[in-house]
């Protein structure tokens, strides 16, 4: 199991604390420093069953600078969105947990973290 985190994020810290409390085995990826490639983002999106606009933090200053709020949510624009996430990783919603069964969850709640834990048993 791997968790993509920003250590300054309270949701990320809560998720890591819960994983630790449950004795989970996991790897931490500080995705702002170890930036995911476009292919890694595509793979995580496939595991999540989501589109890039579903995991984009549109409230970030850089999102406003890029005008992402006006970008179409269409398959033809998917690579544009993924490129933005790879270039500006602060736009990626966090934390994201990739489970051992090949799935993933955006783990912003205790329930989502527990869902990921359930997929590793």
């Amino acid at each position: 199991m791997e968790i993509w985190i920003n250590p300054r994020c309270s949701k990320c810290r809560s998720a890591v604390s819960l994983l630790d409390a449950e004795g989970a085995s996991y790897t931490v990826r500080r995705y702002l420093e170890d930036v995911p490639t476009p292919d890694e983002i595509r793979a995580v999106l496939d595991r999540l069953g989501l589109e890039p606009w579903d995991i984009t933090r549109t409230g970030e200053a850089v999102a406003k600078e890029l005008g992402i709020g006006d970008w179409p949510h269409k398959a033809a624009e998917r690579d544009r969105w993924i490129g933005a996430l790879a270039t500006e990783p602060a736009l990626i919603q966090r934390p994201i947990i990739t489970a051992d069964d090949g799935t993933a969850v955006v783990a912003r709640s205790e329930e989502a973290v527990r869902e990921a834990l359930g997929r590793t048993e």
Side-chain angles (χ1 to χ4, degrees):
M1 178 168 35
E2 181 175 78
I3 182 169
W4 291 9
I5 69 161
N6 172 350
R8 294 182 313 207
C9 168
S10 63
K11 300 272 187 198
C12 293
R13 291 191 307 269
S14 293
V16 167
S17 292
L18 181 54
L19 292 174
D20 288 344
E22 294 295 324
S25 175
Y26 64 94
T27 302
V28 170
R29 180 171 188 170
R30 294 179 179 210
Y31 71 94
L32 296 177
E33 299 162 15
D34 183 7
V35 179
T37 66
D39 285 342
E40 288 175 312
I41 293 169
R42 282 185 195 89
V44 164
L45 287 167
D46 289 346
R47 291 174 81 160
L48 287 166
L50 298 174
E51 292 296 336
W53 44 84
D54 297 324
I55 65 162
T56 300
R57 297 173 55 84
T58 57
E60 294 290 323
V62 69
K64 291 178 171 81
E65 290 170 20
L66 294 172
I68 283 179
D70 297 326
W71 291 8
H73 295 190
K74 295 184 178 181
E77 296 291 320
R78 192 171 200 262
D79 285 341
R80 179 182 186 194
W81 283 85
I82 290 170
L85 295 174
T87 303
E88 301 289 348
L91 294 174
I92 299 172
Q93 188 60 265
R94 73 236 177 198
I96 294 176
I97 297 176
T98 55
D100 294 338
D101 70 352
T103 62
V105 296
V106 178
R108 295 190 57 76
S109 68
E110 180 177 334
E111 295 78 21
V113 175
R114 291 193 183 285
E115 179 183 340
L117 282 168
R119 295 176 181 180
T120 62
E121 298 172 353

